[in-house]
Amino acid sequence: KARLATNAPKGATEDELLALVKNTAVVAQGQGVFAAKCLACHGPQGQGLVGPNLTDNFWLHGSRITDNLRTVEDGVLDKGMLAWKTMLSTEEIRAVVAYIYTLRGTSPPNPKPPQGEPAA
């Protein structure tokens, strides 16, 4: 018998993830996950510290919400970002991705300069 990982995230479509962005309960859950796990590198408002700014229109690993999901799941190990798929549930990962999406276009104080490519 094949063994299934109990916590392995399953891919989500862009439409599924964008629907979560509209769900205030999911976004609030994602904000909590972000505060607990992401704030140290990305700043309390997503403005970027060690990690990149999540509020501007520039992205290092793709600008689509599905790119953000892959980045959170798989991490960016050479840059020090953990692969969260083994530490967070699928629900938590999708919630934090939805929350991160809501940060786009916000104007936090002292944002880190743009990195990567402008969103298409």
Side-chain angles (χ1 to χ4, degrees), residues 5-13 16-17 20 26 29-30 33 68-70 72-73 84-99:
T6 56
N7 202 29
K10 315 254 184 318
T13 68
E16 289 169 335
L17 294 170
L20 294 178
V26 170
Q29 178 189 10
V33 173
N68 299 156
L69 176 66
R70 186 186 67 246
V72 173
E73 286 179 341
W84 291 102
K85 66 184 169 189
T86 61
M87 295 175 266
L88 296 173
S89 70
T90 300
E91 180 183 314
E92 289 170 316
I93 289 172
R94 290 181 182 186
V96 80
V97 168
Y99 173 69

Side-chain angles (χ1 to χ4, degrees), residues 41-76:
C41 293
H42 292 286
Q45 296 171 310
Q47 74 272 24
L49 296 171
V50 174
N53 181 344
L54 301 174
T55 68
D56 62 19
N57 199 34
F58 290 79
W59 296 87
L60 291 166
H61 308 289
S63 63
R64 299 179 72 95
I65 195 167
T66 50
D67 297 326
N68 299 156
L69 176 66
R70 186 186 67 246
T71 301
V72 173
E73 286 179 341
D74 297 337
V76 184

